[in-house]
Amino acid sequence: MQQTARRETTFDGAEDAPSAVGRFISWALGRSEAARILRFAAIGGLSTSIYAVLTLALCHGFGIPVTIAAIAGYGAGAVFSYCGHRFVTFMSDGAVGFEIPRFAVATAIGFLLSLALAAILTDLAGFSPAVPVALSAILVPALNFVTLRNFVFVAASR
């Protein structure tokens, strides 16, 4: 006698099998390095959006000088970035007093790298501003991922 596996059927007749979306979400919340990189990109994108929207809103909507607005926007994006990377990307349970100063150092290094690229490539070498921006968009996130994983959120389960 051969028994076949039966799936439960819900009230609407659909089989109780995980959908493609459900499987993707389950994978994205997992511990694989690829899932972690996806979460890193999502948090980074949202953080960058917070910076851009807040900076422009303060500058254009409230007349705050762009330098001050950019500092406020960058700070708000950094706070979101820390929380997002701590709880979502790296799922860290490390000591906040240990992680926050290290995160501030990592963020400052990324910021200074982007400034250095702009100063050297645009001001000294005469390249279009698009060149250091493009390089920063590639190098800074890559550096941040490695730095956050190996220096900031070291208590996170791997």
Side-chain angles (χ1 to χ4, degrees), residues 23-74:
R23 286 191 305 272
F24 174 77
I25 291 171
S26 178
W27 171 83
L29 296 175
R31 296 271 183 200
S32 74
E33 195 68 5
R36 185 173 287 152
I37 290 169
L38 176 70
R39 294 190 306 265
F40 178 82
I43 295 298
L46 288 171
S47 175
T48 300
S49 296
I50 289 169
Y51 156 74
V53 168
L54 185 58
T55 299
L56 292 173
L58 291 173
C59 189
H60 294 297
F62 295 96
I64 294 174
V66 69
T67 306
I68 304 299
I71 291 169
Y74 197 85

Side-chain angles (χ1 to χ4, degrees), residues 67-141:
T67 306
I68 304 299
I71 291 169
Y74 197 85
V79 169
F80 175 84
S81 180
Y82 172 78
C83 294
H85 290 314
R86 174 180 168 80
F87 296 113
V88 177
T89 303
F90 297 100
M91 300 176 195
S92 176
D93 58 355
V96 173
F98 173 84
E99 291 176 346
I100 288 178
R102 288 174 172 240
F103 182 85
V105 169
T107 299
I109 289 170
F111 181 68
L112 292 174
L113 174 60
S114 67
L115 286 179
L117 287 171
I120 292 168
L121 295 176
T122 302
D123 297 342
L124 296 177
F127 286 100
S128 162
V131 174
V133 168
L135 280 173
S136 291
I138 295 166
L139 295 176
V140 171

